[in-house]
Amino acid sequence: MSLALAVAAGSEPIHWVDLGLKPYLFEIGSFQLRWYSLAYLAGILLGYWHIAKMIKAPGAPMAQRHLDDLFFYCTLGIIIGGRLGYATFYAPELWSNPLDLLKLWNGGMSFHGGLVGTVIAMWWVAWRGGLSFLRVIDYVAVVVPFGMLFGRLANFVNGELWGRVAESPIAWAMVFPDAGPYARHPSQLYQAGLEGLLMMIVMLTLFWKTNARFRPGLIGSVFAVGLGLCRFVAEYFREPDAQLSEFALRTGLSMGQWLTIPLVLVGLVFMARALVRPPLGSAKA
């Protein structure tokens, strides 16, 4: 829905600038404590707290010392993997000046890159500690939606990664700064609801209300399939990155959608594997 269409329909779109949002909590001189940084911090700390609670339940595959290692290495995996993934899939020009890769404050993180970095970190901790890799993934998967929720809300507060132009009248269509005078889908909120809140409900329910944690790989595979499908749907409302608009038109899918396809396929394979194998002895008891 363009701005003209909204007016003709008798309703003004919401203007992001009128919401009084700003990308930082406070600033001191040239320093700004940005919401995006706080979103990462909140997701990691809340995830650490919740896994610490999870490993106290029966059947935990790790001890507190393993969780401490996970906290450190997964944080590195999220940051390094997310940045390198963004440079690889969305902004290859960053590789021509490696110093630009260090400028995290300029934004630019890839979920899929962060996912790969986190998986590598989990494999390292599991290998060093003699732990079940699949069960470590299951436990970490439960808390990933925390960070997804906070991250997408931070994207909205920053007024970035806006959605496509709304082609039909919707009451929540929004005009974003630097996105032209067009009313767009607030796709950041769609992703916060799907990838964050919905997946959080699914993951927490699976862990605390079922015996899914006694089937190695089941929770992690449900996360992969669910998140992949949520991201695939949300991408229909999200404006493709400017440098990849032609790619999306040429292939019919955005880069984000193409990257979710292998995620869903791998998730389905491990889901089938987890369901056909007998559960661990604790579940039988």
Side-chain angles (χ1 to χ4, degrees), residues 148-199:
M148 300 298 296
L149 174 62
F150 296 142
R152 296 311 178 190
L153 291 177
N155 290 146
F156 179 75
V157 172
N158 287 346
E160 62 188 4
L161 303 182
W162 50 75
R164 300 174 189 264
V165 175
E167 298 298 339
S168 58
I170 54 174
W172 55 89
M174 193 167 297
V175 178
F176 289 94
D178 304 320
Y182 306 109
R184 298 175 176 273
H185 288 278
S187 58
Q188 314 97 320
L189 299 182
Y190 299 174
Q191 290 185 269
L194 291 172
E195 301 168 13
L197 184 59
L198 176 60
M199 290 305 301

Side-chain angles (χ1 to χ4, degrees), residues 249-268:
L249 288 173
R250 187 174 68 253
T251 64
L253 297 176
S254 69
M255 177 63 78
Q257 287 175 312
W258 281 112
L259 293 175
T260 60
I261 292 175
L263 180 65
V264 171
L265 293 178
V266 171
L268 289 174

Side-chain angles (χ1 to χ4, degrees), residues 195-226:
E195 301 168 13
L197 184 59
L198 176 60
M199 290 305 301
M200 186 188 307
I201 293 172
V202 171
M203 292 292 98
L204 292 177
T205 301
L206 271 179
F207 185 86
W208 292 110
K209 300 298 183 180
T210 75
N211 282 327
R213 66 180 181 272
F214 297 110
R215 290 186 176 273
L218 180 57
I219 295 179
S221 62
V222 170
F223 169 79
V225 174

Side-chain angles (χ1 to χ4, degrees), residues 40 74-90 94 101 104 107-118:
Y40 268 86
C74 284
T75 300
L76 288 181
I78 292 170
I79 296 173
I80 297 175
R83 189 60 172 168
L84 296 182
Y86 178 79
T88 300
F89 299 117
Y90 298 97
L94 289 175
L101 289 172
L104 299 177
M109 297 288 282
S110 163
F111 160 73
H112 296 92
L115 179 62
V116 171
T118 304

